[in-house]
Amino acid sequence: LTFLTMPDFVRFSAMMHPDTLQTFFVIVSLGIAFARPSFGGAMVAALFAGLAFSTKYVGAVALPFCFLPFALSTLAREELTIQNVMRLFWPGLALIGIFLAVFALTNPYAVADYHSFFAGFIAQIKYSSTGHGLVESANPLLWRRTIVNEFGVIGMIYLLGGLLLSLGFVLFGLWR
């Protein structure tokens, strides 16, 4: 629902913009990872994260969140020891392998000309890290204008309502 309050997202979805497809793959990936915190669920989530990364490079951010629900649920069932943490190494490596395999299958140009791919990828990271060429203030109180431009007034009300509702649930949980 939050995405539907963003005018750019609604416009992009009508245009078949790659952001819409990437958002779909990220949502599916995270939904599976959190709904099924098992190794199988994490593998399917990594597959969809690889598809998101194939669509746009920002999809790589979803990969750690595919692993975390599985890792945390595994560690919650067992005693926290170095051996139990190290047992998660191979499943984590398998998820990275699935992620990279899906990317390689859906983007063979990246495998064939990996030098150009890495050069473009690093250039995109550098460009994105500066706010797409703009350097904005790190003060979160100055983000209001950007958030209103992205989400609109209705989206701001929706986000503020969600924040107040979640704070209410946390305070109610602590009070009980």
Side-chain angles (χ1 to χ4, degrees):
L1 290 176
T2 302
F3 289 118
L4 294 178
T5 65
M6 297 173 63
D8 285 344
F9 187 80
V10 173
R11 184 170 41 98
F12 288 165
S13 64
M15 295 171 28
M16 289 304 295
H17 198 275
D19 287 344
T20 308
L21 186 61
Q22 177 199 4
T23 303
F24 170 76
F25 286 139
V26 167
I27 289 171
V28 170
S29 172
L30 297 178
I32 291 170
F34 286 102
R36 300 202 179 267
S38 63
F39 181 61
M43 288 176 55
V44 174
L47 182 138
F48 280 102
L51 289 172
F53 183 65
S54 295
T55 307
K56 288 190 80 174
Y57 298 147
V58 179
V61 174
L63 184 61
F65 296 102
C66 296
F67 181 68
L68 281 175
F70 163 66
L72 293 176
S73 68
T74 300
L75 292 175
R77 288 189 306 263
E78 301 170 3
E79 187 177 336
L80 186 60
T81 63
I82 290 291
Q83 290 80 17
N84 287 338
V85 172
M86 291 306 293
R87 282 188 325 143
L88 293 171
F89 175 77
W90 293 112
L93 199 59
L95 294 181
I96 292 171
I98 288 173
F99 178 85
L100 292 175
V102 167
F103 176 73
L105 286 172
T106 56
N107 292 291
Y109 76 90
V111 176
D113 189 11
Y114 63 91
H115 290 295
S116 295
F117 165 71
F118 281 117
F121 184 67
I122 298 299
Q124 185 66 34
I125 288 173
K126 287 179 180 176
Y127 179 70
S128 298
S129 67
T130 62
H132 301 289
L134 304 171
V135 178
E136 297 290 339
S137 172
N139 182 355
L141 298 176
L142 299 177
W143 295 351
R144 185 186 63 78
R145 182 177 43 149
T146 303
I147 293 174
V148 169
N149 286 342
E150 277 298 314
F151 290 99
V153 175
I154 294 173
M156 283 292 296
I157 293 169
Y158 179 76
L159 290 173
L160 186 61
L163 177 67
L164 293 175
L165 187 63
S166 63
L167 285 174
F169 279 124
V170 168
L171 292 175
F172 181 73
L174 291 173
W175 182 65
R176 285 192 327 154

